Amino acid sequence: MVRRRFVLAVSAMAAIPAVVRDRSTLAQDTMPSARASYGLTTLSRGLEQPWSMAFLPDGRMLITERPGRLRVFAQGRLDPRPLEGVPAVHAAGQAGLLDICLHPGFAQNRVLYLSYIAGDSRLSLTSVARAELGDGGLRNVVRIFEARPGASGNLNLGSRIVFDRAGKMYVSTGDRFQMNRAQDLGDLAGKVVRLNDDGSVPPDNPFVGRQGARPEIFSWGHRNPQGLALHPETGRIWEVEHGPKGGDELNVLKPGANYGWPLVTYGTNYDGSKITDNRHLPGMEDALRTWVPSISPCGLTFYTGHKFPQWRGSLFTGALSNQALFRIGVEGERYAGEERLLVGRLPYIRDVRQGPDGLLYLVTRSDDGGLFRLEPA
């Protein structure tokens, strides 16, 4: 059954290794929320357009910078030397080095994945590389996925990576600002793909064997998905994506499902012109939540820790254009309200992750971007 879409204007609802061990010099601001007071701690500045984070078993953190660098944060300090071996990226506009994701068996195999834009200004592709983390850098780097066909332009590129409980990898791709590509099953733009950990196609993917359809596709009809997260109880993949002017979405992904873009949307073109009158169409999935006006959701994580018991089960996403962090309440697979945190205090949150210490970590989109942490006040 197709769910009804919930639409409303943005409003507020009333023995693990420590990632940071030295807190003596850290500044903290304290703020209240509807359920828990929290402090915002600045861990590091001087990151250039940070995009994503990953926590290593030994307590270190890896941070991607969009110009093409992979940085290490350890013992309360950002290493000034980037890791070697990162694949060459096309860095312009929204393009560059994007997401980082550890293999589920990283502790044994040291394998990680990077999503990035490969190519140049004439022809570029959203890509994924598989690599092993060694001393001082990456080794055995292999590109295992390309969102073909390539295109020019540096907008609506995606891209996030997440693994499910079965060890399958999901990668989001944007429509490259060419909206009709999202409805073309022979095109990997505007999709979420499902892959084995080596980049091969699982035989049970929904479009395997269908003539004219790419077998990598898991779901389609997406505009610019910039957040993927695994539900800690159901194991389903949740997704957030940017609409145009209005029409950002929160979705639960289903195999083979069409999420409508651009045939269904609450958004308009940036010049205010109409895209479509359709808000629902038969055979297309409605979003759990649609934001009008846009908040530009970026990064996505379910909170499962014990440091903020009042927030357990909540979903968190950065809101670039709203300059806030959104805490979204969910009940099963239903949207159950939201509140805005850090409003005007930490602009342009690009990613949010739960650390192994049960605290929330954020990076901000800026040429002088930072790494921050939310702690109980």
Side-chain angles (χ1 to χ4, degrees):
M1 175 181 291
V2 176
R3 295 183 299 273
R4 295 297 294 175
R5 187 184 300 246
F6 187 16
V7 184
L8 54 99
V10 174
S11 62
M13 272 181 21
I16 296 175
V19 176
V20 179
R21 296 180 176 85
D22 180 7
R23 298 175 52 194
S24 59
T25 61
L26 302 180
Q28 186 181 77
D29 294 325
T30 300
M31 286 152 280
S33 80
R35 291 194 176 184
S37 294
Y38 59 95
L40 174 66
T41 298
T42 301
L43 300 178
S44 182
R45 292 283 190 174
L47 288 159
E48 184 178 0
Q49 296 288 336
W51 219 90
S52 183
M53 302 166 278
F55 299 90
L56 301 181
D58 61 9
R60 293 181 297 162
M61 183 192 303
L62 301 181
I63 304 172
T64 61
E65 291 179 304
R66 194 180 54 76
R69 292 181 294 271
L70 184 58
R71 307 290 297 277
V72 178
F73 184 84
Q75 301 289 345
R77 175 177 174 268
L78 181 68
D79 193 325
R81 301 163 299 176
L83 293 178
E84 298 179 354
V86 174
V89 307
H90 169 56
Q94 298 174 7
L97 180 61
L98 306 178
D99 207 11
I100 181 170
C101 180
L102 302 186
H103 188 283
F106 178 86
Q108 290 75 42
N109 61 24
R110 308 292 290 175
V111 170
L112 58 79
Y113 300 84
L114 298 171
S115 68
Y116 62 103
I117 308 305
D120 54 36
S121 59
R122 296 168 298 174
L123 184 70
S124 61
L125 304 105
T126 299
S127 307
V128 173
R130 186 181 195 268
E132 297 173 13
L133 180 63
D135 294 334
L138 305 181
R139 62 192 183 198
N140 299 326
V141 180
V142 180
R143 193 186 308 182
I144 62 169
F145 171 74
E146 295 176 334
R148 293 188 173 274
S152 61
N154 305 310
L155 299 174
N156 291 11
L157 303 162
S159 164
R160 295 289 178 180
I161 308 171
V162 71
F163 276 86
D164 68 13
R165 292 175 178 169
K168 304 304 180 186
M169 180 172 61
Y170 297 74
V171 180
S172 65
T173 70
D175 70 356
R176 302 299 302 265
F177 217 67
Q178 301 169 32
M179 61 177 68
N180 292 326
R181 295 181 64 180
Q183 288 296 318
D184 183 354
L185 285 173
D187 188 324
L188 289 176
K191 311 296 191 296
V192 173
V193 302
R194 179 175 180 260
L195 307 168
N196 293 317
D197 66 354
D198 61 358
S200 61
V201 177
D204 60 344
N205 270 9
F207 295 104
V208 168
R210 177 167 166 175
Q211 187 173 2
R214 294 294 300 255
E216 300 96 329
I217 296 172
F218 183 80
S219 61
W220 51 310
H222 301 290
R223 183 176 181 271
N224 191 15
Q226 292 207 14
L228 294 176
L230 179 73
H231 193 289
E233 295 179 0
T234 68
R236 300 278 287 272
I237 305 297
W238 290 50
E239 176 254 14
V240 286
E241 64 183 82
H242 293 200
K245 189 176 181 180
D248 300 345
E249 293 184 358
L250 170 67
N251 293 301
V252 179
L253 300 185
K254 298 179 178 180
N258 184 347
Y259 289 82
W261 172 256
L263 303 179
V264 172
T265 182
Y266 279 80
T268 62
N269 286 310
Y270 291 111
D271 62 5
S273 61
K274 183 187 301 184
I275 297 172
T276 178
D277 289 322
N278 296 322
R279 302 294 181 258
H280 318 275
L281 282 177
M284 296 186 181
E285 287 293 316
D286 285 341
L288 293 187
R289 170 72 161 103
T290 299
W291 285 278
V292 179
S294 289
I295 67 167
S296 306
C298 201
L300 194 66
T301 193
F302 281 95
Y303 184 73
T304 61
H306 295 278
K307 295 296 180 67
F308 293 101
Q310 305 94 327
W311 288 354
R312 293 197 75 194
S314 294
L315 192 60
F316 287 84
T317 187
L320 293 176
S321 58
N322 217 244
Q323 300 196 27
L325 176 69
F326 272 52
R327 183 185 67 81
I328 302 169
V330 297
E331 296 177 357
E333 293 190 349
R334 293 193 305 109
Y335 167 85
E338 65 196 37
E339 72 170 321
R340 291 175 289 177
L341 311 177
L342 300 171
V343 179
R345 302 294 295 272
L346 194 61
Y348 307 123
I349 296 169
R350 175 61 78 180
D351 197 14
V352 52
R353 304 276 175 153
Q354 179 181 315
D357 52 10
L359 302 174
L360 286 171
Y361 290 77
L362 318 167
V363 290
T364 53
R365 186 198 72 183
S366 170
D367 289 341
D368 185 25
L371 171 66
F372 304 88
R373 182 174 62 202
L374 292 190
E375 305 176 1

